[in-house]
Amino acid sequence: MDPMTPETIVSALFSTSAAAAAGLAVMLQPTLPRPDVQPVDHFQEADFSIYDRDFTLQGRDCEIGIKRRGICLSRSPLEDTIVPGRVLPVEIPATSAEFPIILEAPLKASHLQTVRFGHRIALFNPDTREIVDVIDLTAQSFANARVSDRQKAELEGTPDAQTS
């Protein structure tokens, strides 16, 4: 029989401790809280609230952006034409929004792409090239930022159409 060396004892203790820790983790796993993250196919107030408004970044006035990430969003001549239901022609590129914007925003459905056209953020279906949802970041509130809600208000002639 081999004598028990200090190395053998330490190795045995380490292996036993590792096995006990793994067993404890398996036993506790069902009781650990699981994140309740459900991807969505529309914008939420959390999407609108990640943006800062009217700040200075590197000596430049920034109307809309994410100050802590060093992002200032420029206008686009296309932004006013980006509305839910529009199918983008192939000659209009649908470039993903900046990675920090996607990272900060709540999780979206995997079949949708978050794209940006100036001060409008859109959810885009790359298979059909359809704009699914849009928020206008120049709005005063999330309620006014929902482009589809504003379109409905404009069609109905309600006062909400003039608030943004």
Side-chain angles (χ1 to χ4, degrees):
M1 189 162 166
D2 292 328
M4 294 291 279
T5 64
E7 292 84 17
T8 306
I9 294 171
V10 169
S11 177
L13 286 173
F14 181 75
S15 297
T16 303
S17 298
L24 184 61
V26 168
M27 286 180 8
L28 291 177
Q29 184 184 19
T31 63
L32 294 175
R34 296 187 187 267
D36 187 23
V37 178
Q38 296 295 323
V40 295
D41 61 356
H42 59 279
F43 287 112
Q44 302 172 347
E45 192 163 357
D47 291 291
F48 185 78
S49 65
I50 65 173
Y51 296 93
D52 301 301
R53 287 158 180 80
D54 298 321
F55 63 95
T56 302
L57 185 64
Q58 299 175 347
R60 177 177 153 212
D61 289 336
C62 184
E63 188 177 355
I64 296 169
I66 303 178
K67 186 176 183 178
R68 69 186 170 285
R69 297 281 191 166
I71 297 174
C72 184
L73 305 180
S74 303
R75 289 207 166 269
S76 165
L78 293 176
E79 66 189 69
D80 291 336
T81 66
I82 303 302
V83 295
R86 177 174 186 197
V87 175
L88 288 182
V90 291
E91 57 271 7
I92 298 178
T95 306
S96 288
E98 292 82 348
F99 182 71
I101 290 174
I102 296 168
L103 189 63
E104 296 269 345
L107 186 64
K108 302 301 181 292
S110 61
H111 71 284
L112 298 176
Q113 179 181 352
T114 303
V115 296
R116 181 175 71 82
F117 294 91
H119 290 167
R120 286 198 177 177
I121 304 293
L123 287 178
F124 174 74
N125 183 330
D127 295 330
T128 62
R129 296 195 55 82
E130 180 182 0
I131 301 292
V132 176
D133 196 18
V134 178
I135 55 175
D136 181 354
L137 301 176
T138 61
Q140 297 298 312
S141 68
F142 176 67
N144 293 332
R146 298 285 315 252
V147 173
S148 57
D149 293 344
R150 283 192 358 214
Q151 286 177 315
K152 288 177 193 170
E154 288 169 4
L155 289 174
E156 296 167 1
T158 62
D160 291 343
Q162 287 87 36
T163 59
S164 63

